[in-house]
Structure formats: structure tokens, C-alpha cells
């Protein structure tokens, strides 16, 4: 019944003909002044028509009528209205009110999560993720919870709760790895972010080890390969950084890897105890660049890297080597 009554309004919005849609709303409301579905869609139309004050007043009036929130048409109209008005809290209130009628509705909890995520409402996002993990065994909701914990901790000013949230996120990811439920590079990046924000760089190198459980996933993702090289530099493992960079550049041409390779070599040159060690380091990288310069598809990057190496050596005070 309600759907049939609202059909002319929906048809007008699909055209789109906002003016006609508003006229159809008014026609229906003259017959049925308390038709909350029509009121909620009218609030959306008003928001889209540049009348935010009228839209907000009408939307809040419907929202404050608890019985109205049982209707899917009201939920849809009000959520669109509040989204158009840039009022995420009210949009979440729509879904929360609807959940009082259907507390186990997975789609409503998902809408709360996504609205909160779009608007950096980390506590609400976290709460929605918890509810979803209780309702469903889908692994994606565990990752939503991990991300929520990470973001809440990252943006928290509470030095007590943030470490607890990060530790919980880490445990959830470790369980996912153990259960074979870490299956994408996006999930791996989340894991690395959780470790990185805790300054657990050594543990990150273990996760990204050549012979580790996730090695194949890392080797197939250029950004993760580069991150691994950079991580070795961050913890001062320059020889490992050099080895990882050489391995990467043997199979691909990536300027970020060249730069990291150069940085690791220049740093070791500065730390070397004698001239022979310095010359050996420079000879090694120069030989590799010269070899790669002769490979089709790598020549440009390798030749530019030769120039970058000379420049970086000069800046570091090693121009005479």
C-alpha cells in the first residue's frame, strides 16, 4: 500500500524531476497529512532543492516519531535527506531507530558502520563492527573491527585506551593469520599499519620475511616490496635493505626501489671503517646499475639511478669515491 502511494514520487525523482516529485508529495500529504513516507521523501527533496532549514525541520519531526521508523520507505527517505544535509549523526539515528524494530538486521548495522566510516565517527564505527561480528561469522566483519580499533586508537587522545585497542586489533589479526583468513594485500596492509603505529618494526620484518607465510602475497605487490625495503632501512638493517632492493630490481624497474637502494648504500659508505669497504659498496651498486642499463625496459631507470647515486654521494661528502 505505502509503496504504491509513493510510486509516482519515486518515478518523478528517477526522471529526475524534483519539482514534479514535490508536487506529488504535496498531493499525497493533502490526502494523508501523517504519511511519514511522503514527509521523509519531501525532506530529501527540500534538501536537494536548496532549502536545508525546511528539510532539517521536517526530517527531525519524522525522526522524533518512533513508530514511523518501522517503515523502510521512511528509513530510506530520511537517511537520504540527512546525508544530503551533511548530518551524519542524524542519519545514524535513523538506522538506530530502525534497529529498535529489527535489532538483528545486518544491513542496518552495515549502514551504521559505513555512515560512521565516511564521516570519521570512530566510536560509532567500532560499535557497529562489534554488532556485526556478533550477528555474522563473515570474516570481513572481523577486518572491519580491526580497522575500527586501529582508527579509534590512532585518533584517540587517551593514552590508556589506545594501546589496549591496538593490542586487541593485533590479536584479532594474528588469529586471522593463524586461521588462514588473511587473504588479501589490503588486509596485510592493515596488519602492518597496526604494528607500525606501535613501533613494532622488527615484528613487521618477520611478517614480511622472504620465507614467511605471506611471502608470495608480498612479492606480487610492488608497493609492499618497496615498503619492505624501506622498513629494513628504518630499523638500520642496511645490508638486508640492499639485498631486498637488488632482488626487487632484478625483476622490475621501480624508481622508489632505486632511491632506497642508493640511500642504504650511501649510509653504509658513511659507516664503513676503511676505504676498501667504501669502494666495494660503490663498485657493487655501480656494477648493478651498469648491468641493468643494458637491459631493455630498465635502461632509463638505471641510467637515471647512476646520476642520482653520484648526486647523493656528493651531498653526503663522498664525491671522491
Amino acid at each position: 500500500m505505502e509503496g504504491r502511494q509513493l510510486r509516482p514520487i519515486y518515478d518523478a525523482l528517477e526522471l529526475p524531476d524534483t519539482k514534479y516529485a514535490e508536487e506529488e508529495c504535496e498531493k499525497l500529504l493533502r490526502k494523508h497529512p501523517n504519511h511519514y513516507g511522503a514527509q521523509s521523501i519531501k525532506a530529501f527533496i527540500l534538501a536537494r532543492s536548496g532549502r536545508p532549514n525546511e528539510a532539517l525541520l521536517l526530517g527531525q519531526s519524522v525522526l522524533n516519531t518512533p513508530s514511523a521508523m518501522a517503515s523502510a520507505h521512511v528509513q530510506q527517505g530520511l537517511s537520504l535527506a540527512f546525508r544530503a544535509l551533511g548530518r551524519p549523526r542524524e542519519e545514524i539515528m535513523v538506522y538506530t531507530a530502525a534497529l529498535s524494530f529489527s535489532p538483528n538486521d545486518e544491513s542496518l548495522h552495515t549502514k551504521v558502520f559505513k555512515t560512521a566510516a565516511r564521516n570519521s565517527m570512530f566510536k560509532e564505527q567500532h560499535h557497529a563492527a562489534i554488532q556485526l561480528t556478533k550477528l555474522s561469522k563473515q570474516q570481513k566483519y572481523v577486518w572491519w573491527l580491526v580497522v575500527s580499533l586501529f582508527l579509534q586508537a590512532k585518533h584517540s587522545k587517551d593514552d590508556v585506551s589506545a594501546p589496549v585497542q591496538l593490542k586487541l586489533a593485533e590479536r584479532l589479526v594474528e588469529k586471522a593469520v593463524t586461521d588462514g583468513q588473511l587473504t588479501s594485500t589490503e588486509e596485510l596492509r592493515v596488519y602492518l599499519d597496526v604494528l607500525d603505529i606501535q613501533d613494532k618494526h622488527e615484528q613487521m620484518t618477520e611478517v614480511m620475511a622472504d620465507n614467511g607465510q605471506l611471502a608470495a602475497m608480498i612479492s606480487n605487490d610492488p608497493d609492499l616490496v618497496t615498503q619492505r625495503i624501506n622498513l629494513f632501512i628504518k630499523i638500520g638493517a642496511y645490508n638486508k635493505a640492499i639485498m631486498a632492493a637488488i632482488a626487487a630490481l632484478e625483476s622490475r624497474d621501480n624508481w622508489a626501489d632505486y632511491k632506497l637502494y642508493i640511500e642504504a648504500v650511501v649510509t653504509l659508505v658513511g659507516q664503513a671503517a676503511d676505504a676498501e669497504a667504501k669502494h666495494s659498496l660503490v663498485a657493487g651498486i655501480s656494477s648493478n646499475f651498469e648491468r641493468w642499463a643494458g637491459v631493455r625496459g630498465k635502461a632509463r631507470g638505471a641510467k637515471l639511478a647512476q646520476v642520482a647515486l653520484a648526486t647523493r654521494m656528493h651531498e653526503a661528502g663522498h664525491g671522491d669515491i
Side-chain angles (χ1 to χ4, degrees), residues 98-106 108-109 131 135:
L99 281 166
S100 66
F101 296 95
S102 305
N104 295 325
D105 190 320
E106 190 175 330
L108 285 172
H109 286 291
Q131 297 306 311
L135 287 173

Side-chain angles (χ1 to χ4, degrees), residues 123-316:
K123 289 183 179 180
E124 292 82 356
Q125 181 180 344
H126 178 200
H127 178 73
I130 290 174
Q131 297 306 311
L132 285 164
T133 58
K134 290 178 179 178
L135 287 173
S136 172
K137 298 298 182 182
Q138 292 186 64
Q139 189 63 25
K140 70 176 182 179
Y141 295 140
V142 174
W143 287 104
W144 288 12
L145 178 55
V146 170
V147 170
S148 301
L149 287 163
F150 169 76
L151 290 174
Q152 196 171 353
K154 182 179 180 180
H155 296 279
S156 174
K157 296 180 180 179
D158 187 344
D159 294 336
V160 176
S161 64
V164 175
Q165 290 162 347
L166 289 171
K167 191 62 183 175
L168 177 56
E170 185 180 344
R171 286 176 180 169
L172 288 169
V173 177
E174 287 173 348
K175 185 178 186 304
V177 173
T178 302
D179 295 344
Q181 295 296 327
L182 195 159
T183 57
S184 70
T185 54
E186 290 78 10
E187 292 166 354
L188 177 54
R189 287 191 177 91
V190 170
Y191 188 10
L192 295 172
D193 285 342
V194 169
L195 294 175
D196 191 27
I197 199 173
Q198 298 178 86
D199 293 326
K200 293 186 175 183
H201 299 134
E202 292 287 350
Q203 191 170 336
M204 289 174 70
T205 62
E206 294 173 9
V207 171
M208 303 182 81
D210 280 333
N211 58 350
Q213 185 177 345
L214 307 172
M217 190 183 298
I218 295 165
S219 64
N220 290 326
D221 188 294
D223 292 336
L224 288 173
V225 171
T226 300
Q227 184 177 356
R228 182 169 176 265
I229 300 167
N230 190 44
L231 181 60
F232 283 133
I233 291 176
K234 185 180 287 189
I235 65 173
Y238 299 106
N239 283 313
K240 289 183 178 181
I242 290 171
M243 292 172 61
I246 293 172
L249 290 166
E250 289 288 1
S251 60
R252 64 182 189 153
D253 186 59
N254 186 290
W255 183 244
D257 295 347
Y258 279 118
K259 289 170 64 178
L260 292 171
Y261 185 10
I262 292 168
E263 192 60 37
V265 168
V266 171
T267 302
L268 284 182
V269 167
Q271 295 177 354
D274 54 68
E276 183 179 353
K278 295 177 187 288
H279 282 290
S280 176
L281 286 162
V282 175
I285 191 172
S286 298
S287 174
N288 283 330
F289 285 174
E290 186 175 348
R291 178 166 56 85
W292 291 329
V295 177
R296 185 175 182 179
K298 292 186 178 182
R300 182 174 179 274
K303 289 176 180 178
L304 287 173
Q306 288 173 324
V307 176
L309 173 62
T311 302
R312 187 68 185 87
M313 289 289 286
H314 179 74
E315 290 173 347

